Coordinates of all heavy atoms in Angstrom, one line a residue:
A1 N 7.8 -14.5 20.9 CA 8.0 -15.3 19.8 C 9.2 -14.9 19.0 O 10.0 -15.8 18.5 CB 6.7 -15.3 18.9
I2 N 9.5 -13.6 18.9 CA 10.7 -13.2 18.2 C 11.9 -13.6 19.0 O 12.9 -14.1 18.4 CB 10.7 -11.6 18.0 CG1 9.6 -11.2 17.0 CG2 12.0 -11.1 17.5 CD1 9.4 -9.7 16.9
R3 N 11.9 -13.5 20.3 CA 13.1 -13.9 21.1 C 13.4 -15.4 20.9 O 14.5 -15.8 20.7 CB 12.8 -13.6 22.6 CG 13.9 -14.0 23.5 CD 13.5 -13.7 25.0 NE 12.6 -14.8 25.4 CZ 13.0 -16.0 25.9 NH1 14.3 -16.3 25.9 NH2 12.1 -16.8 26.3
L4 N 12.3 -16.2 20.9 CA 12.6 -17.7 20.8 C 13.0 -18.0 19.3 O 13.9 -18.9 19.2 CB 11.3 -18.4 21.1 CG 10.8 -18.4 22.5 CD1 9.5 -19.0 22.7 CD2 11.9 -19.1 23.4
T5 N 12.5 -17.3 18.3 CA 13.0 -17.5 17.0 C 14.4 -17.1 16.8 O 15.2 -17.8 16.0 CB 12.0 -16.8 16.0 OG1 10.7 -17.2 16.2 CG2 12.4 -17.2 14.5
R6 N 14.8 -16.0 17.4 CA 16.2 -15.6 17.4 C 17.1 -16.8 18.0 O 18.2 -17.1 17.5 CB 16.4 -14.4 18.2 CG 16.0 -13.1 17.5 CD 16.5 -11.9 18.4 NE 16.0 -10.6 17.9 CZ 16.4 -10.0 16.9 NH1 17.4 -10.4 16.2 NH2 15.9 -8.8 16.5
Q7 N 16.6 -17.3 19.1 CA 17.4 -18.4 19.7 C 17.5 -19.6 18.8 O 18.6 -20.2 18.7 CB 16.7 -18.9 21.0 CG 16.9 -18.0 22.2 CD 16.3 -18.7 23.5 OE1 15.9 -19.8 23.5 NE2 16.3 -17.9 24.6
L8 N 16.4 -19.9 18.1 CA 16.4 -21.0 17.2 C 17.3 -20.8 16.0 O 18.1 -21.6 15.6 CB 15.0 -21.3 16.7 CG 14.8 -22.6 15.9 CD1 15.2 -23.8 16.7 CD2 13.3 -22.7 15.5
A9 N 17.3 -19.5 15.5 CA 18.2 -19.2 14.4 C 19.6 -19.2 14.7 O 20.5 -19.5 13.9 CB 17.8 -17.8 13.9
A10 N 19.9 -18.9 16.0 CA 21.3 -19.0 16.4 C 21.8 -20.4 16.7 O 23.0 -20.6 16.7 CB 21.5 -18.1 17.7
S11 N 20.9 -21.3 16.9 CA 21.3 -22.7 17.2 C 21.3 -23.6 16.0 O 22.0 -24.7 16.0 CB 20.4 -23.3 18.3 OG 19.1 -23.3 17.9
I12 N 20.5 -23.4 15.0 CA 20.5 -24.2 13.8 C 20.6 -23.4 12.5 O 20.1 -22.3 12.5 CB 19.2 -25.1 13.8 CG1 18.0 -24.3 13.6 CG2 19.2 -26.0 15.0 CD1 16.7 -25.1 13.4
D13 N 21.1 -24.0 11.5 CA 21.3 -23.4 10.2 C 20.2 -23.8 9.3 O 20.3 -24.9 8.7 CB 22.7 -23.7 9.6 CG 22.9 -22.9 8.3 OD1 22.2 -22.0 8.1 OD2 23.8 -23.4 7.6
H14 N 19.1 -23.1 9.2 CA 17.9 -23.5 8.5 C 17.3 -22.3 7.8 O 16.9 -21.3 8.5 CB 16.9 -24.1 9.4 CG 15.8 -24.9 8.8 ND1 14.9 -24.3 7.9 CD2 15.5 -26.2 8.9 CE1 14.0 -25.2 7.5 NE2 14.4 -26.4 8.1
P15 N 17.2 -22.2 6.5 CA 16.7 -21.0 5.8 C 15.2 -20.6 6.2 O 14.9 -19.5 6.2 CB 16.8 -21.4 4.3 CG 16.8 -22.9 4.2 CD 17.5 -23.3 5.5
E16 N 14.4 -21.6 6.5 CA 13.0 -21.3 6.9 C 13.0 -20.6 8.3 O 12.1 -19.9 8.6 CB 12.1 -22.5 6.8 CG 11.5 -22.7 5.5 CD 10.5 -21.6 5.1 OE1 11.0 -20.5 4.7 OE2 9.3 -21.8 5.3
V17 N 13.9 -21.0 9.2 CA 14.0 -20.3 10.5 C 14.3 -18.9 10.3 O 13.8 -18.0 10.8 CB 15.0 -21.0 11.4 CG1 15.2 -20.2 12.7 CG2 14.7 -22.4 11.7
A18 N 15.3 -18.6 9.4 CA 15.7 -17.3 9.0 C 14.5 -16.5 8.4 O 14.2 -15.4 8.6 CB 16.9 -17.3 8.1
G19 N 13.8 -17.3 7.5 CA 12.6 -16.7 6.9 C 11.5 -16.2 7.9 O 10.9 -15.2 7.8
L20 N 11.3 -17.1 8.9 CA 10.3 -16.7 9.9 C 10.8 -15.5 10.7 O 10.0 -14.7 11.0 CB 10.1 -17.9 10.8 CG 9.1 -17.7 11.9 CD1 7.7 -17.2 11.4 CD2 8.9 -18.9 12.8
L21 N 12.1 -15.5 11.1 CA 12.6 -14.4 11.9 C 12.4 -13.1 11.1 O 12.0 -12.1 11.6 CB 14.0 -14.6 12.2 CG 14.7 -13.5 13.0 CD1 14.0 -13.2 14.3 CD2 16.2 -13.9 13.2
A22 N 12.8 -13.1 9.8 CA 12.6 -11.9 8.9 C 11.1 -11.5 8.9 O 10.8 -10.3 9.0 CB 13.1 -12.2 7.5
L23 N 10.2 -12.5 8.7 CA 8.8 -12.1 8.6 C 8.3 -11.5 9.9 O 7.6 -10.5 9.9 CB 8.0 -13.4 8.4 CG 6.5 -13.3 8.3 CD1 6.0 -12.4 7.2 CD2 5.9 -14.7 8.2
M24 N 8.7 -12.0 11.0 CA 8.3 -11.4 12.3 C 8.9 -10.0 12.5 O 8.1 -9.1 12.9 CB 8.9 -12.3 13.5 CG 8.1 -13.6 13.6 SD 8.9 -14.6 15.0 CE 7.8 -16.0 15.1
L25 N 10.2 -9.8 12.2 CA 10.8 -8.5 12.3 C 10.0 -7.5 11.4 O 9.8 -6.3 11.8 CB 12.2 -8.6 12.0 CG 13.1 -9.3 13.0 CD1 14.5 -9.5 12.4 CD2 13.2 -8.6 14.3
L26 N 9.7 -7.8 10.2 CA 9.1 -6.9 9.3 C 7.7 -6.6 9.7 O 7.2 -5.4 9.6 CB 9.1 -7.5 7.9 CG 10.5 -7.6 7.2 CD1 10.5 -8.5 6.0 CD2 11.0 -6.2 6.8
H27 N 7.0 -7.5 10.2 CA 5.6 -7.2 10.7 C 5.7 -6.4 12.0 O 4.9 -5.5 12.2 CB 4.8 -8.5 10.9 CG 4.2 -9.1 9.7 ND1 3.5 -8.4 8.8 CD2 4.2 -10.4 9.2 CE1 3.0 -9.1 7.9 NE2 3.5 -10.4 8.0

């Protein structure tokens, strides 16, 4: 899930994508 969210964050500029990636990394 983290890998796919990284891919998504790299492909689109969306603050909630970044928020989800941060949440996953912190957990």
Side-chain angles (χ1 to χ4, degrees):
I2 292 174
R3 183 183 72 84
L4 293 173
T5 306
R6 283 190 190 279
Q7 283 188 7
L8 188 56
S11 63
I12 63 174
D13 185 18
H14 194 298
E16 272 293 81
V17 176
L20 178 59
L21 177 58
L23 177 62
M24 288 179 174
L25 290 169
L26 290 164
H27 277 312

